[in-house]
Amino acid sequence: MTSTTESRRSAASGTLTYGTILRLFLPLSLSDVIMVIAGPILTIGLTKLANPEISLAAYAVANNVAILLESPIIMLLHASNLLSRYRETYQPLRHFMLWVNALLTALYALLAFTPAYDLIFRTLLGQPDAIAAAARPAFQVQLLWPAAIGWRRFYQGILIQHKRSSVVAYAGFARIGSLALVTALGVMGRAHGATLAGLALVVSVIVEAAAVTWLARPVLQAGVTDPHAEAPDWAPRTVGQIALWYWPLAMTQILVSVVRPLLSGGIARSVDPELGLAAWPVAWSTILMVANAVRMVQQVALTLLQDRRSYLMLRRFTLTIGAVACGVMALLAVTPLGRGYMEWVLGLKGGLASVADAALPALGFGVVFPFYVALQNWLQALLIKDGRTLVVNAGAIAGGAVTLAAVYAGALIWRLPGAVLGIVSLLCGAAVELVVLVRASRPQRQAWLAR
């Protein structure tokens, strides 16, 4: 490391304040909340169309599988934030992004437009015929979803590294605005519910990807890399090396994402599966709306963590916002706010009141979920910043295995209702993953405290 880089880092750490952390974190948090708001908007739209319970369930399972297929590219945000600053790694990382986007699009087409669709949705996931049939066009219309996500995540990482987090939020507003517009037009035209949801999702993410690219022009024109920064020894410097380094991160997100459609498979085997499959996306989108507000502590840590002082400040910040988010979740769970939100915002009243009744108990179990998300992302950041991607993957494997065991045990043995089954299973896996991450990150935590 050059003396210039050392002095810059020392200066940055010396001027780090909680105001600085908040200015970077809040726009990123807002962008994640905006992304989750897509779920409630689509739920509102689908409840105004024919067969809302079938449409809600079909949209949920189609989107879960689409998210699984885009999961290998999700962690590109972390890779871009960490590696785009270095001359040796920026261009190879960009080429890697383009290759992965192309491969994921080809895989998506294979699964969406061949008999593989029935194998996945009907046989593997055990979806009822009505839901599998309604989900097919919704899944097919999202063909460009993985590529748009990959492109967007790459340029978001560059913007975050240059502390332009407000720009990321602006692009998020473009995304949610386009989604709301497509949904409103579809409702007015009485479109097929699940297909409308899929179309609105893919249009919105393409709009966001275009907006991020446009808004990143000043950074791209000025130069993405820092001429004074030297890549650490562990940093990959070719497309092949990046693939090997990135693979554990991709597998981490794949394992996290595979739980979602398999959760639907477990819920499909629970008591009253159609009601459970309709209630679960309502409960999950509500929990995520709060939990995702803290997820970006990982990007803040990757950007600002430099020495002992910044470590202590960022750790305290992570614990504080995790606790605050739990408080918000508690308000939704134990006060009339939760039911009011579902009835008056999501439109789950009258004939759909049973969906709200089935979703509400899950909110009580989900009160602690935001704190888990904050701790998970903080510990992962410590490991990723030190190049230890394999350990992050190990935590996801352990947590995913426990989650899947819990969901099928809960459905087949304890006969838990669908929405409660979903969140309880996720919390079981979360507890195991945190144990792995805490133990694995002990050397990193001790090293930061010793600096």
Side-chain angles (χ1 to χ4, degrees), residues 280-302:
W280 171 238
V282 173
W284 182 232
S285 66
T286 304
I287 294 169
L288 273 188
M289 185 171 59
V290 179
N292 269 23
V294 305
R295 192 173 60 166
M296 282 296 182
V297 297
Q298 186 171 118
Q299 299 307 312
V300 173
L302 290 175

Side-chain angles (χ1 to χ4, degrees), residues 20-371:
T20 303
I21 297 172
L22 278 172
R23 282 192 293 273
L24 182 62
F25 172 78
L26 287 178
L28 297 177
S29 176
L30 178 61
S31 70
D32 253 7
V33 172
I34 288 172
M35 184 171 64
V36 177
I37 290 174
I41 290 176
L42 291 173
T43 298
I44 294 169
L46 296 186
T47 58
K48 299 182 183 302
L49 296 172
N51 302 313
E53 289 191 6
I54 296 294
S55 293
L56 283 168
Y59 143 67
V61 70
N63 192 49
N64 281 339
V65 178
I67 289 172
L68 171 61
L69 288 174
E70 57 113 13
S71 60
I73 207 69
I74 285 293
M75 300 293 271
L76 192 63
L77 176 67
H78 309 65
S80 180
N81 186 356
L82 199 58
L83 300 178
S84 64
R85 75 188 77 178
Y86 305 118
R87 290 171 297 176
E88 304 96 323
T89 56
Y90 170 64
Q91 285 298 338
L93 183 63
R94 187 176 185 277
H95 294 155
F96 173 76
M97 177 267 293
L98 295 174
W99 274 108
V100 175
N101 281 355
L103 290 172
L104 290 178
T105 301
L107 176 61
Y108 197 111
L110 177 67
L111 298 183
F113 298 99
T114 71
Y117 175 88
D118 290 319
L119 177 65
I120 294 170
F121 282 77
R122 298 178 189 273
T123 305
L124 179 61
L125 298 181
Q127 297 301 309
D129 288 342
I131 293 175
R136 184 188 295 268
F139 183 66
Q140 291 173 337
V141 79
Q142 295 185 72
L143 175 63
L144 296 180
W145 174 272
I149 292 289
W151 184 277
R152 174 189 65 123
R153 301 286 279 188
F154 177 75
Y155 284 99
Q156 282 179 330
I158 292 173
L159 289 168
I160 294 170
Q161 175 55 38
H162 285 263
K163 300 181 177 61
R164 301 289 298 276
S165 58
S166 59
V167 174
V168 176
Y170 298 154
F173 283 114
R175 174 177 180 169
I176 206 67
S178 60
L179 181 136
L181 177 61
V182 173
T183 302
L185 292 174
V187 170
M188 288 188 290
R190 311 307 297 172
H192 180 273
T195 306
L196 171 61
L199 179 63
L201 284 168
V202 74
V203 168
S204 68
V205 79
I206 291 173
V207 167
E208 185 183 21
V212 164
T213 308
W214 177 264
L215 293 170
R217 287 180 307 140
V219 172
L220 299 175
Q221 291 169 356
V224 174
T225 62
D226 181 356
H228 302 288
E230 294 181 1
D233 292 339
W234 59 260
R237 288 165 168 79
T238 67
V239 173
Q241 290 174 356
I242 287 173
L244 290 175
W245 174 81
Y246 184 82
W247 176 249
L249 292 179
M251 285 304 300
T252 297
Q253 198 59 40
I254 289 171
L255 289 166
V256 170
S257 299
V258 78
V259 168
R260 294 172 182 172
L262 290 180
L263 273 176
S264 296
I267 292 170
R269 292 167 172 81
S270 64
V271 179
D272 198 350
E274 290 194 359
L275 178 60
L277 287 166
W280 171 238
V282 173
W284 182 232
S285 66
T286 304
I287 294 169
L288 273 188
M289 185 171 59
V290 179
N292 269 23
V294 305
R295 192 173 60 166
M296 282 296 182
V297 297
Q298 186 171 118
Q299 299 307 312
V300 173
L302 290 175
T303 304
L304 298 179
L305 186 57
Q306 303 293 350
D307 56 16
R308 184 178 189 276
R309 180 175 179 273
S310 60
Y311 170 82
L312 292 173
M313 292 180 68
L314 289 166
R315 185 181 66 178
R316 190 177 300 115
F317 178 78
T318 298
L319 296 175
T320 300
I321 63 165
V324 170
C326 287
V328 173
M329 195 69 239
L331 287 175
L332 289 172
V334 303
T335 73
L337 286 176
R339 179 171 291 278
Y341 167 74
M342 292 184 183
E343 290 182 353
W344 299 104
V345 177
L346 301 184
L348 299 177
K349 51 188 176 180
L352 294 175
S354 60
V355 176
D357 290 337
L360 275 171
L363 301 189
F365 289 95
V367 166
V368 298
F369 194 79
F371 200 76

Side-chain angles (χ1 to χ4, degrees), residues 308 311-312 315 444-451:
R308 184 178 189 276
Y311 170 82
L312 292 173
R315 185 181 66 178
Q444 281 68 40
R445 289 181 282 120
Q446 292 174 343
W448 284 111
L449 287 172
R451 294 194 181 190

